[in-house]
Amino acid sequence: MRPLKMSEVPSSTASKLDGLANPFIRKWLGLPRCLSDVGLFGRNTLQLPLHSISLGYKQEKARMVLELRESSDHLVRATGTQVRTGRRWKAEEEVDQAIARLKHREVVGRVQVGRAGLGRSETPLFWSKASKRERKAMVVTEVARSEQERYTIKAIPQARISFLIRATYNTLPCPQNLHLWFGTEEICPLCNTINASLQHILSGCKTALSQGRYRWRHDAVLKKLAEVAESCRREANSRPAAPARHTTQFARAGENINAPAHQTWEGSSHPAVSGT
Ligand SMILES: [Zn+2]
């Protein structure tokens, strides 16, 4: 990536290089041409150890911006050299955004991510406490993360995004909207409610509620979990019983539980006591 870092080439050139290299990667991996870059470089269900040329270019340019800004030589800092990367992607703006995100993360503080318990994750490094070298690494990592976010957004099926947006703004073809748009009388196919609203179709139809349609998916997941729990229970019950553990005996004040029975004052076997 060093030639791309030192040369004054726009980001579109790096994209073109990706366009030249990616068909060969697909060919070597035996993948069809229709597989997009999201499948190759995205960190989704499958995470291949590949990085695009564009990502390397952006990381190196971001590193160069920081080297010029935070140089130990005051003359280099004073020159205010601009890192030119074309109109499509600007390294200076990307670095500013990355720094803003890192500062915001410090304001948010330490949050729990994943299923590990509280305090099990590593202590994050915050912007104000990082050294100059660590800050540079943090910014470069942040640039890579924002690139990954783009891949993640692209990985969501277009139909799902379309449904989500249209459901939010009530523009799906529900009976009420069809009546509004075309003047026709539409009914809910399950309960025959005339001109049923989107809320009715998505979560309010009484017939669908009584038939358990809304909770079907939820119940199907619970059923699977119950099957696994039941098999674990049967396996545990079929194992031979473990030997009983030695229980702790607690003694009252003045009581000696380790003493033999004939030595206790209360026992009738003590000769002195039984004799008197
Ligand atoms: Zn209905």
Side-chain angles (χ1 to χ4, degrees):
M1 290 298 158
R2 190 163 177 80
L4 281 175
K5 178 185 178 183
M6 302 312 293
S7 311
E8 198 171 282
V9 291
S11 59
S12 56
T13 306
S15 300
K16 281 177 190 169
L17 288 173
D18 261 332
L20 289 171
N22 293 351
F24 286 102
I25 296 174
R26 287 191 191 89
K27 199 174 174 183
W28 292 330
L29 294 173
L31 299 170
R33 284 184 188 177
C34 59
L35 187 83
S36 70
D37 298 347
V38 177
L40 286 177
F41 307 118
R43 297 287 179 269
N44 305 307
T45 311
L46 188 65
Q47 300 185 3
L48 297 173
L50 298 171
H51 296 282
S52 64
I53 296 171
S54 295
L55 175 61
Y57 169 84
K58 288 176 180 176
Q59 285 183 310
E60 289 303 322
K61 288 293 180 187
R63 197 172 277 132
M64 194 172 186
V65 169
L66 289 169
E67 282 170 7
L68 291 169
R69 274 190 197 175
E70 299 183 5
S71 172
S72 54
D73 189 341
H74 70 280
L75 292 173
V76 174
R77 288 199 306 273
T79 50
T81 310
Q82 296 286 316
V83 178
R84 293 178 191 163
T85 53
R87 287 177 293 177
R88 201 168 154 192
W89 180 84
K90 295 187 188 304
E92 309 269 349
E93 288 178 11
E94 188 72 27
V95 168
D96 289 339
Q97 285 176 7
I99 291 171
R101 279 199 295 271
L102 289 167
K103 285 180 178 174
H104 175 257
R105 199 167 296 155
E106 185 168 357
V107 173
V108 172
R110 186 175 180 175
V111 293
Q112 191 59 31
V113 179
R115 295 168 67 185
L118 284 172
R120 300 287 296 221
S121 56
E122 288 182 17
T123 308
L125 182 64
F126 289 126
W127 180 258
S128 63
K129 292 175 184 170
S131 65
K132 193 186 281 186
R133 194 172 187 175
E134 287 169 336
R135 283 184 177 187
K136 197 192 289 180
M138 286 166 79
V139 169
V140 171
T141 309
E142 194 60 32
V143 168
R145 189 174 293 152
S146 65
E147 189 73 6
Q148 277 304 325
E149 283 173 8
R150 286 185 197 115
Y151 284 129
T152 308
I153 292 166
K154 282 183 189 172
I156 300 172
Q158 195 182 357
R160 204 180 296 171
I161 295 176
S162 168
F163 182 85
L164 181 70
I165 295 170
R166 290 193 293 164
T168 306
Y169 295 106
N170 193 14
T171 53
L172 282 168
C174 63
Q176 191 183 47
N177 283 344
L178 289 173
H179 174 68
L180 202 69
W181 297 337
F182 306 113
T184 54
E185 289 291 320
E186 301 286 341
I187 57 166
C188 170
L190 294 175
C191 66
N192 295 331
T193 302
I194 300 167
N195 297 334
S197 65
L198 183 64
Q199 287 79 10
H200 176 95
I201 298 294
L202 290 180
S203 61
C205 180
K206 285 182 182 174
T207 308
L209 276 168
S210 63
Q211 290 176 349
R213 290 185 181 221
Y214 294 130
R215 63 169 199 272
W216 177 83
R217 191 172 182 276
H218 172 266
D219 289 356
V221 174
L222 279 186
K223 194 178 172 187
K224 200 71 192 167
L225 290 174
E227 283 174 12
V228 174
E230 179 64 18
S231 67
C232 290
R233 187 187 69 81
R234 282 183 187 163
E235 190 189 334
N237 287 345
S238 63
R239 285 184 205 144
R245 291 182 182 175
H246 177 70
T247 53
T248 307
Q249 285 184 308
F250 294 97
R252 291 193 181 90
E255 185 184 3
N256 187 1
I257 57 171
N258 293 324
H262 66 275
Q263 285 185 1
T264 56
W265 291 103
E266 293 160 0
S268 58
S269 61
H270 197 284
V273 175
S274 60
T276 54

